[in-house]
């Protein structure tokens, strides 16, 4: 029998719930992806670059013009300086970037601090590289970070802290106070930071996105990762990027070149040209805030109770008034009996903490949200 390298890891919950949702013809608010179309100009641009012969390997680091546009954007938004030649890498989705960053710096026996609930790719990537996850839980139900606990978890073996803001699945976001606490903890240490900021353009209620790249003393020890899939409604195109100071980028690229070598060429050219229209990403928060508010209004009279969501396109709903079943059981029944698919967040905890909440994706057409809410209100 083959000895598994990840014996406790099954099929990712996103595939499980989407499959079940399809089997039962349910409304799929589980896996996070939009059900509306990509901007037609972006489609035309991909076509343009495919037809004009941009169909062979891109440079290993990514198409330079795209790296330059990314550098310009992060300078304008976060006042962060990254050299497009040596400090930016275009990747095959944020998932690849997360894996490459972890593989680049985590050695056998190194400890990595992971805040739970955690996006499901972090821990397998740590373990495949011989690292040891050290878990700290967000406080429930407000999903704040207990920085004293983070501090107590630091040892001489701590190599990396993984952060994610806006946070999937909770919708929590880092505040200025969080950043101050983080700075205090890493000061005078060699701890590196991996900051997953794929929802950087989806943050609500006028809150400022606390990119790690805004803070020079953190930037110098950080990999900052984002994804075009979230920003341009193109999750199936799988293009992301990693920002990191040159010495970190060098190690990152050493791994990246053998994970994928380079990412899709015509799509990189298309994004570079499409990024000239800054309004698209600058207006994304307003677009999704309306969806969040619509969904909340529609389910106001249901027996689900929302937990405040400040960013991402996910809304957590407490179902404890409806059932005391586990979140996994209840989410399956919600698909099979009521026709709505969600994600049970207990899968994002190593001890499967079950708070009787479910995660619903509101990156959907208004009519999809209307239909889903109608079903949820009947329960
Ligand atoms: N991190 C988080 C927090 C995510 O929600 C996602 C979404 N899938 C990813 C990383 C991966 O992004 P990508 O689809 O670009 O690989
Ligand atoms: N990020 C998406 C989510 O959280 C899906 C990721 C995936 O399917 N791997 O739903």
């Amino acid at each position: 029998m083959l000895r598994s390298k990840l014996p406790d890891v099954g099929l990712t919950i996103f595939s499980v719930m989407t499959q079940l949702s399809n089997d039962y013809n349910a409304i799929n608010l589980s896996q996070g992806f939009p059900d509306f179309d990509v901007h037609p100009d972006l489609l035309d641009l991909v076509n343009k670059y495919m037809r004009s012969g941009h169909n062979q390997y891109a440079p290993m680091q990514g198409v330079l013009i795209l790296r330059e546009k990314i550098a310009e954007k992060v300078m304008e938004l976060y006042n962060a300086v990254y050299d497009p030649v040596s400090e930016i890498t275009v990747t095959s989705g944020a998932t690849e970037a997360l894996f490459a960053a972890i593989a680049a710096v985590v050695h056998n026996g190194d400890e990595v601090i992971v805040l739970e609930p955690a996006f499901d790719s972090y821990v397998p990537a740590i373990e495949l590289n011989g690292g040891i996850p050290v878990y700290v839980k967000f406080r429930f139900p407000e999903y704040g970070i207990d920085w004293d606990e983070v501090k107590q978890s630091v040892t001489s073996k701590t190599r990396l802290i993984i952060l994610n803001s806006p946070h999937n699945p909770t919708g929590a976001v880092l505040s200025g106070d969080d950043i101050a606490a983080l700075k205090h903890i890493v000061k005078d240490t060699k701890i590196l930071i991996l900051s997953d900021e794929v929802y950087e353009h989806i943050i609500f209620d006028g809150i400022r996105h606390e990119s790690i790249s805004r803070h020079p003393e953190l930037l110098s020890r950080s990999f900052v990762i984002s994804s075009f899939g979230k920003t341009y409604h193109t999750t199936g195109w799988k293009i992301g990027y990693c920002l990191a100071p040159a010495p970190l980028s060098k190690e990152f690229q050493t791994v990246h070149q053998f994970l994928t070598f380079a990412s899709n060429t015509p799509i990189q050219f298309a994004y570079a040209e499409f990024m000239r229209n800054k309004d698209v990403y600058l207006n994304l928060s307003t677009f999704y805030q309306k969806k969040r508010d619509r969904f909340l209004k529609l389910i106001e009279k249901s027996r689900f109770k929302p937990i405040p969501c400040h960013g991402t396109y996910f809304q957590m709903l407490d179902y404890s008034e409806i059932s005391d079943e586990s979140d996994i059981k209840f989410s399956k029944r919600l698909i099979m009996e009521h026709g709505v698919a969600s994600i049970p967040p207990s899968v994002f905890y190593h001890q499967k903490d079950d708070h009787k909440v479910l995660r619903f994706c509101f990156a959907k057409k208004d009519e999809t949200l209307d239909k889903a809410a109608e079903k949820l209100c009947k329960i």
Side-chain angles (χ1 to χ4, degrees):
M1 195 48 195
L2 200 61
R3 191 158 62 94
S4 174
K5 295 189 86 172
L6 294 171
D8 302 325
V9 177
L11 183 62
T12 160
I13 191 70
F14 305 115
S15 304
V16 171
M17 297 315 270
T18 285
Q19 184 59 52
L20 200 62
S21 180
N22 292 344
D23 291 348
Y24 283 84
N25 204 15
I27 299 173
N28 190 0
L29 307 189
S30 65
Q31 192 176 22
F33 61 87
D35 71 345
F36 36 82
D37 285 336
V38 176
H39 198 296
D41 293 354
L42 181 55
L43 297 178
D44 287 346
L45 285 170
V46 174
N47 196 267
K48 174 176 122 179
Y49 285 104
M50 283 185 169
R51 290 197 176 278
S52 58
H54 295 81
N55 297 303
Q56 308 310 327
Y57 293 126
M60 180 273 280
Q61 304 89 332
V63 163
L64 184 59
I65 185 174
L66 179 58
R67 288 183 278 145
E68 286 170 348
K69 292 306 286 183
I70 295 168
E72 190 185 310
K73 184 193 80 168
V74 293
M75 165 53 96
E76 280 175 18
L77 291 183
Y78 309 131
N79 205 22
V81 181
Y82 287 98
D83 174 10
V85 173
S86 60
E87 302 187 313
I88 299 180
T89 315
V90 179
T91 59
S92 299
T95 309
E96 192 242 321
L98 290 163
F99 195 94
I102 290 167
V105 300
V106 173
H107 293 248
N108 238 352
D110 282 351
E111 293 177 1
V112 181
I113 297 181
V114 177
L115 299 169
E116 288 189 314
F119 184 63
D120 71 345
S121 83
Y122 304 159
V123 170
I126 295 166
E127 290 180 335
L128 284 172
N129 288 290
I132 300 163
V134 175
Y135 299 99
V136 175
K137 285 176 196 176
F138 279 87
R139 286 194 218 96
F140 184 80
E142 77 281 11
Y143 295 117
I145 299 173
D146 185 337
W147 289 104
D148 286 336
E149 207 185 324
V150 175
K151 193 167 181 203
Q152 281 158 22
S153 306
V154 171
T155 73
S156 58
K157 289 187 182 162
T158 308
R159 181 70 171 155
L160 190 66
I161 299 180
I162 302 184
L163 296 169
N164 169 215
S165 180
H167 184 260
N168 177 8
T170 66
V173 297
L174 287 178
S175 67
D177 287 348
D178 290 317
I179 296 291
L182 175 65
K183 282 182 189 169
H184 188 68
I185 289 174
V186 297
K187 195 167 175 275
D188 302 324
T189 74
K190 290 191 174 151
I191 299 172
L192 301 174
I193 296 167
L194 174 51
S195 184
D196 178 346
E197 303 185 10
V198 300
Y199 301 101
E200 63 179 318
H201 301 300
I202 311 179
I203 182 159
F204 309 135
D205 311 313
I207 301 173
R208 158 180 130 142
H209 171 54
E210 283 299 341
S211 176
I212 292 299
S213 67
R214 285 186 191 275
H215 308 277
E217 61 274 58
L218 297 178
L219 179 155
S220 60
R221 57 170 84 227
S222 299
F223 298 94
V224 174
I225 286 167
S226 192
S227 170
F228 289 100
K230 314 292 168 184
T231 305
Y232 294 124
H233 315 315
T234 48
T235 63
W237 294 5
K238 295 297 292 185
I239 302 284
Y241 61 85
C242 174
L243 313 170
L248 292 182
S249 282
K250 183 170 172 286
E251 292 306 318
F252 180 94
Q253 290 173 0
T254 302
V255 176
H256 162 78
Q257 65 183 337
F258 299 120
L259 271 181
T260 187
F261 181 63
S263 303
N264 187 302
T265 309
I267 290 178
Q268 291 191 55
F269 278 107
Y271 280 142
E273 191 168 334
F274 196 62
M275 279 179 83
R276 286 194 205 147
N277 182 358
K278 298 174 184 168
D279 286 345
V280 178
Y281 56 81
L282 294 177
N283 292 335
L284 197 63
S285 291
T286 309
F287 172 81
Y288 275 124
Q289 183 167 328
K290 277 194 197 135
K291 297 235 172 255
R292 178 200 65 178
D293 293 346
R294 180 184 190 91
F295 185 56
L296 287 177
K297 183 92 192 124
L298 286 165
I299 56 152
E300 206 173 32
K301 299 218 160 63
S302 76
R303 291 196 290 157
F304 290 93
K305 295 286 161 276
I307 292 177
C309 155
H310 303 296
T312 75
Y313 42 52
F314 304 116
Q315 176 66 55
M316 296 279 252
L317 298 179
D318 178 321
Y319 63 85
S320 57
E321 261 186 42
I322 303 172
S323 167
D324 59 8
E325 284 164 288
S326 73
D327 64 358
I328 291 184
K329 263 194 161 170
F330 186 64
S331 62
K332 289 191 172 161
R333 200 158 64 79
L334 207 56
I335 294 177
M336 295 188 276
E337 293 178 17
H338 302 282
V340 181
S342 59
I343 294 286
S346 64
V347 301
F348 302 131
Y349 291 89
H350 74 294
Q351 290 169 325
K352 311 296 167 218
D353 296 28
D354 178 12
H355 294 294
K356 314 291 175 213
V357 294
L358 294 176
R359 189 199 83 173
F360 293 83
C361 174
F362 55 79
K364 303 292 166 190
K365 294 177 197 146
D366 287 350
E367 65 195 73
T368 311
L369 295 176
D370 294 355
K371 278 191 216 146
E374 197 185 320
K375 290 175 185 288
L376 295 176
C377 285
K378 285 190 188 140
I379 303 170

